[in-house]
Amino acid sequence: MPEFLSQKPKLKFLFTGGKGGVGKTISAAGLAYRFAKDGKRTLLVSLNPVHSLSSLFGQDLRGGVIKPVEGAQNLHALEVEIDDVVEKYKQNIAKRLSEFLKWADIPMDPKPFIDIATTNPAFQESAMFDKMMDVVLQQGEEYDVVVFDTAAVANAARLIGLSKIYGLWLERMIESRKEALSLRVKLSFRKEKVMEEIKKDPLMADLLSMQDRFNRVKDILLNEDLTAFFFVTLPLSLPIAVVKRFIKMVKGFDIPVGGVIVNQVIPKAIAEATTNEYVRNKYKEQLGYMAEIERDLGPLVRSYIPVYPSEVVGVDMVAKVSQDMFSWIPDFLDELEV
């Protein structure tokens, strides 16, 4: 990790993702803590519908507002409340639809259209993507580093995928609106008056504003000097397979890959010192999976996090994780049969 970050001095937006339960939040917190400790004003953002930051730090970080993390200078946290985001998004859509129907002289109740739009399965991801854009553009100005803890793979993939789909949707909407406005001018008798009205078209202004905002975020997300996505895995079959698929998926969206973080690694010294058969068997099993990680993902591995004797809760434990992410190397790597 230290070598990678030294090559990316402008890195500002970091994401962690992976299968559920692999330690995405712990990894994001470890990264954020390190930047904050180095004196950088850092914001840790949870985009996970089921937040863990409050539990992880043992502090109340809820409420959908930015709060300082007590005991960690320069570090702030934000648990994005999806219900608040969805409601705000719903209100915006209602406003746009109402303006459109009013402007087009269509005497129709917009509520059924709003219900259809907001019950779309992708609506929450779309609303969350919109919130992420807010954070990138607004908090990106105020903070030196922003670390995003994303949801499990399925949600994260849809969220990232929106970076491409959202742009295509906007382009199509703007073209459709242009065609509709052009048709209105052609059919009108008082073309000059209609042209003046069109210049004030609220829907077109809204779409162009959204496109400008999206393009600014897209330029940031696709910039490998500014953005990096880290994949978290355990030395187990399923999480490794998920990470391999996830990397291909993210590359397909042109998002820069930062690397892989391997969590809950059992040190050799612990396995040899214990008489617990379960731990010794898990260690033997782990060697095969670690060999697979080294063979298939080796150049991308940036950090290892060991198994701890106690749960990772509280600032002191986050500090320990952060320290290990930047310095700890498993004591059996040289013995792996890759």
Side-chain angles (χ1 to χ4, degrees):
M1 189 65 79
E3 184 180 351
F4 174 79
L5 293 183
S6 70
Q7 295 170 356
K8 303 281 182 181
K10 296 180 181 177
L11 198 61
K12 192 179 187 79
F13 301 98
L14 295 84
F15 294 78
T16 60
K19 187 179 175 300
V22 296
K24 298 183 295 294
T25 304
I26 290 171
S27 301
L31 285 169
Y33 184 90
R34 175 58 181 244
F35 286 112
K37 188 173 179 240
D38 287 345
K40 295 188 176 182
R41 188 171 163 78
T42 305
L43 177 63
L44 175 59
V45 182
S46 171
L47 298 178
N48 196 328
V50 183
H51 300 298
S52 302
L53 294 184
S54 292
S55 301
L56 176 64
F57 284 101
Q59 304 174 23
D60 184 5
L61 300 170
R62 298 170 298 171
V65 295
I66 295 174
K67 295 183 178 181
V69 177
E70 295 177 11
Q73 196 173 8
N74 300 317
L75 181 58
H76 290 72
L78 168 64
E79 289 187 342
V80 175
E81 295 296 341
I82 185 64
D83 290 341
D84 294 345
V85 175
V86 167
E87 183 55 36
K88 182 181 172 186
Y89 208 56
K90 190 183 288 188
Q91 290 174 5
N92 286 340
I93 285 184
K95 181 183 173 187
R96 285 166 188 158
L97 272 173
S98 298
E99 287 174 347
F100 171 74
L101 294 174
K102 181 182 176 183
W103 187 85
D105 291 331
I106 300 176
M108 188 176 289
D109 180 6
K111 189 174 181 306
F113 294 97
I114 295 167
D115 290 340
I116 291 171
T118 55
T119 52
N120 187 303
F123 185 75
Q124 286 202 350
E125 279 81 12
S126 182
M128 191 61 91
F129 183 77
D130 215 53
K131 179 62 181 178
M132 186 189 73
M133 290 202 296
D134 280 346
V135 173
V136 169
L137 293 176
Q138 295 171 15
Q139 272 65 54
E141 292 287 325
E142 298 179 20
Y143 287 86
D144 299 316
V145 177
V146 181
V147 180
F148 290 97
D149 170 31
T150 68
V153 170
N155 293 61
R158 286 200 294 270
L159 185 71
I160 294 166
L162 281 168
S163 65
K164 199 166 253 185
I165 297 168
Y166 198 90
L168 294 173
W169 175 80
L170 275 173
E171 285 179 17
R172 183 61 195 144
M173 285 292 291
I174 290 171
E175 285 305 311
S176 297
R177 193 66 186 149
K178 283 180 180 175
E179 289 173 11
L181 295 174
S182 173
L183 190 60
R184 182 174 179 182
V185 172
K186 288 178 183 175
L187 296 176
S188 65
F189 292 105
R190 301 175 63 187
K191 290 185 170 45
E192 291 181 0
K193 182 175 183 295
V194 172
M195 284 295 291
E196 286 301 315
E197 291 178 359
I198 286 175
K199 288 178 184 176
K200 301 174 185 174
D201 177 38
L203 192 59
M204 179 61 92
D206 219 11
L207 288 170
L208 290 174
S209 173
M210 288 168 65
Q211 188 181 48
D212 174 67
R213 182 163 155 268
F214 168 74
N215 285 336
R216 284 188 287 147
V217 172
K218 188 177 76 170
D219 287 344
I220 291 171
L221 291 182
L222 304 187
N223 187 331
E224 62 180 10
D225 291 327
L226 296 175
T227 300
F229 203 109
F230 293 90
F231 306 89
V232 185
T233 186
L234 302 177
L236 292 171
S237 176
L238 193 54
I240 294 171
V242 168
V243 162
K244 289 179 184 176
R245 290 202 303 272
F246 203 7
I247 287 176
K248 290 181 182 175
M249 209 180 296
V250 168
K251 282 183 175 176
F253 293 122
D254 301 322
I255 305 288
V257 174
V260 174
I261 297 167
V262 187
N263 186 27
Q264 293 188 9
V265 179
I266 303 171
K268 179 182 178 182
I270 288 180
E272 289 182 341
T274 184
T275 57
N276 186 307
E277 189 176 353
Y278 174 78
V279 175
R280 293 176 73 88
N281 287 338
K282 290 298 291 183
Y283 175 74
K284 289 178 183 174
E285 183 184 63
Q286 170 186 274
L287 293 180
Y289 292 127
M290 287 297 289
E292 181 181 351
I293 290 172
E294 291 299 307
R295 183 183 66 242
D296 298 343
L297 302 169
L300 286 174
V301 176
R302 307 293 180 215
S303 285
Y304 302 95
I305 302 173
V307 167
Y308 297 107
S310 61
E311 189 179 3
V312 177
V313 175
V315 174
D316 290 344
M317 278 305 297
V318 172
K320 173 63 177 165
V321 170
S322 182
Q323 182 182 353
D324 286 337
M325 287 179 71
F326 283 78
S327 61
W328 187 72
I329 300 292
D331 48 5
F332 55 81
L333 282 188
D334 294 340
E335 303 171 17
L336 293 176
E337 297 180 3
V338 180

